[in-house]
Amino acid sequence: MTTMDDVQHRAELQLQALEGVQARLNALTVTETGDSGRVIVDVDVTGAMTGLRLLPGAGNGQPAALADQIVRTAVRAATRVFTDRADIMTAFVADFAELIGSDAVGVSMEPDPGFVRPTLQEPQSEE
């Protein structure tokens, strides 16, 4: 195997890893129930509510109690999805570090971030 073949193979593995984590994240949803199963909330990977089902008796007919149950259930769902997302990303970072041959998980690979990243500088007036 030539050096270029090795580089291409490693790049293909990295691309597969990126596509895999993207697919897992895109598919991540959580359903949570509250109020004895009468409030059902679905959230996506960002924690945004994507579904709400209310069964008879939800909130015991009290609007404030129903609103509270919806919010509490949505918060629990978002918390679960954030935990699941963090687990996926933790595994991905560790796997990707192996693919790039780094044992510095979570450390920037940029040579010198202070000079690599562009910054907005106000124009200097000529006086």
Side-chain angles (χ1 to χ4, degrees), residues 2-3 7 12 18 24 46 49 53-54 61 67-68 74 77 84 97 101 106 109 113 117-118 121-122 124-125:
T2 67
T3 301
V7 168
E12 288 170 356
L18 288 168
R24 287 186 69 196
T46 68
M49 188 185 306
R53 293 177 300 271
L54 303 174
D68 183 62
D84 293 351
M109 301 305 290
R117 292 190 176 123
Q121 295 180 351
E122 296 294 327
Q124 304 235 343
S125 63

Side-chain angles (χ1 to χ4, degrees), residues 73-85:
T73 306
V75 168
R76 282 196 312 275
T79 301
R80 280 186 45 212
V81 85
F82 294 153
T83 300
D84 293 351
R85 184 175 72 186

Side-chain angles (χ1 to χ4, degrees), residues 10 24 35 50 69 92 97:
R10 201 166 58 194
R24 287 186 69 196
D35 194 15
T50 58
Q69 285 296 325
F92 167 73

Side-chain angles (χ1 to χ4, degrees), residues 93-117:
V93 168
D95 292 345
F96 202 77
E98 286 181 28
L99 289 174
I100 63 172
S102 171
D103 59 357
V105 176
V107 175
S108 174
M109 301 305 290
E110 294 181 10
D112 187 349
F115 293 103
V116 174
R117 292 190 176 123

Side-chain angles (χ1 to χ4, degrees), residues 30-50:
V30 166
T31 300
E32 185 69 43
T33 60
D35 194 15
S36 300
R38 296 177 291 201
V39 174
I40 305 160
V41 173
D42 302 308
V43 298
D44 67 10
V45 69
T46 68
M49 188 185 306
T50 58

